[in-house]
Amino acid sequence: MSAVIHALATLPAWRIAIAALLTLGSYVALSGYELLGLSYVGRRLSYRRVTLATWVTYGLGQSIGFPVLAGGAVRLRMYARWGIGIGDIARIVAFNAVTMWLGVITVLGFAFVSQNGVVAGVLSVAPAFIDAIGIAASICVLAYVAVSVTRRPPLKIRGHEISFPPPRIAIAQVATAVADWLLAAGVLYVLLPPAVRIAFVPFVALFLAAQIAGLVSHLPGGIGVFDGIIVAALSPHLDGKFIGVAASLAAYRGIYYAAPLAVGGALLAWLECSGAVRRCTTFVRAYATSHAPAILAVATFAAGAMLLFSSATPELSDRSRILDQVFISPVTESAYFLSTLVGLALLLISRGLKRRLDGAYLLTIPLL
C-alpha cells in the first residue's frame, strides 16, 4: 500500500492536469447526451440546468452502481422539478442508454477492424474473432443510422411503439458518444506509467471491454472488475511492475469517479437545500402577507396598553428628578396626559388595522 501511495505522490502534475481536463471534456460530452435526449422528446432546458443535471446524474450514477437506475432516479427528481413529465423522462433515460451503447459499439468496431491483430494480442483471443466482432459492431451502427434515415413511422413491437430519432440526432448520438468514450479512455491512458507501451487504439478497446464487464457487474464504478481486467491485459507490458499501474488506476478513480461524485453530491445538496429554503421563504411570505393585519393589530394594541399602564403607574423618583431639572412641571404633567390619550387611541385603532382600513394605518404611524 505504501508503495502505491508513493507512486501516486510521484505522478507528474502535468499528467494529472491533463486527466482532469479530459474528465471535464467527458462531462461536456455527457451533457450532449442530455441535450440530445431533450431534443428527442421535444423539450428544451437552459444549458445551465442541463450541465447541473449532467454532473449530478452521472457523478452519482457512475460511482454508486446501477447507473441507469441511480441516474434515472436522480434525473426524475431534477427534471420533474423543471416541468418535464415522467413519460418524457423515461424516454430520455432509454435514449441516453442507447447513445452510450452506440458509442461503445462504434469505438469497438473501429478498433477491432483497424487494429485486429494488436487488439487480439492485448485481449488474448483469435484475430478472426476480433475481426468478426468489429464488422458486426460496425454493421449495427450503420443499420441504426440507416433506419433513422429511412423509417419515419414508429416501430411497433408487441403493442409498444419505438420512435427512431431523425438522422441529425442519430448521427449526433454516435459522434457525442464516441467523443465521450475516447475522452474517458484518455483519462486513464495519460496516467499510465511510461513503462506501459501500448498504442491508444488497442488500449481503447481494452478499456471498453473492461468497462462493459464493470457495467454488467453493477459494482460502484465497476471497482475490482474493471481494475482486474486492465491489470491482467497489461501484464505482458509491465515486466512485473504492477505498482505503477495500480497507482494510475487509483488516480483514475480519484479523478474520474471520486471528484465528479463529490461535485455531484455537493450540487444535489445545494439544489435540495435551496429548494427547501425557497419553499420556506414562500411559506413565510404567504403567511406574513395573509396575517400581517392581525400581527400589526396585536402589536399596536400592545403598544397602547403599555402606554396606558405606564401612565397609570407611579413614576420613578430618580427619573422624575432629572425631568424636573430639564422641563417645567406643566410639560411633564401634560406628557403623562398625552401618553394616556395616545395609548387609548392605539387601542381603538388596532381594531381598524385588523380590518385593513387605510385610515387606521395612516393614524397609527404618527401616533406610534
Side-chain angles (χ1 to χ4, degrees), residues 103 166 217 308:
S217 71
L308 289 176

Side-chain angles (χ1 to χ4, degrees), residues 194-247:
V196 180
R197 293 186 176 88
I198 180 173
F200 182 64
V201 174
F203 174 79
V204 171
L206 167 62
F207 178 86
L208 288 177
Q211 283 284 1
I212 293 171
L215 288 172
V216 172
S217 71
H218 294 298
L219 292 171
I223 190 168
V225 178
F226 173 84
D227 309 75
I229 293 175
I230 292 292
V231 171
L234 292 180
S235 57
H237 307 270
L238 297 179
D239 296 329
K241 299 177 180 179
F242 294 97
I243 299 300
V245 174

Side-chain angles (χ1 to χ4, degrees), residues 48-74:
R48 180 182 65 84
R49 286 184 169 180
V50 171
T51 303
L52 178 63
T54 299
W55 280 93
V56 174
T57 301
Y58 292 97
L60 298 178
Q62 293 189 139
S63 300
I64 63 178
F66 296 94
V68 175
L69 295 178
V74 176

Side-chain angles (χ1 to χ4, degrees), residues 7-24 183-198 200 203 244-245 247-256:
L8 270 173
T10 57
L11 270 175
W14 65 269
R15 290 181 181 270
I16 296 174
I18 293 177
L21 288 175
L22 290 173
T23 300
L24 183 62
L183 289 166
V187 175
L188 179 56
Y189 188 75
V190 299
L191 293 172
L192 290 176
V196 180
R197 293 186 176 88
I198 180 173
F200 182 64
F203 174 79
V245 174
S248 300
L249 286 168
Y252 165 74
R253 291 207 167 273
I255 294 172
Y256 194 77

Side-chain angles (χ1 to χ4, degrees), residues 33-34 56-58 60-77 89-101 181 214-216 218-219 221:
Y33 284 30
E34 301 298 314
V56 174
T57 301
Y58 292 97
L60 298 178
Q62 293 189 139
S63 300
I64 63 178
F66 296 94
V68 175
L69 295 178
V74 176
R75 191 181 284 108
L76 174 63
R77 174 76 173 169
I89 296 173
R91 294 171 66 196
I92 291 172
V93 171
F95 178 89
N96 289 352
V98 171
T99 304
M100 181 197 72
W101 284 107
W181 283 113
L215 288 172
V216 172
H218 294 298
L219 292 171

Side-chain angles (χ1 to χ4, degrees), residues 323-334:
L323 288 175
D324 290 338
Q325 294 174 359
V326 178
F327 301 104
I328 60 177
S329 180
V331 173
T332 55
E333 293 298 331
S334 62

Side-chain angles (χ1 to χ4, degrees), residues 71 122 144 151 158 296 330:
V122 171
Y144 179 83
R151 188 179 184 86
R158 295 183 179 181
L296 292 176

Side-chain angles (χ1 to χ4, degrees), residues 142-168:
L142 292 174
Y144 179 83
V145 176
V147 170
S148 71
V149 172
T150 58
R151 188 179 184 86
R152 289 298 180 205
L155 179 64
K156 294 184 178 180
I157 301 177
R158 295 183 179 181
H160 298 283
E161 291 187 351
I162 300 176
S163 300
F164 282 87
R168 61 181 180 82

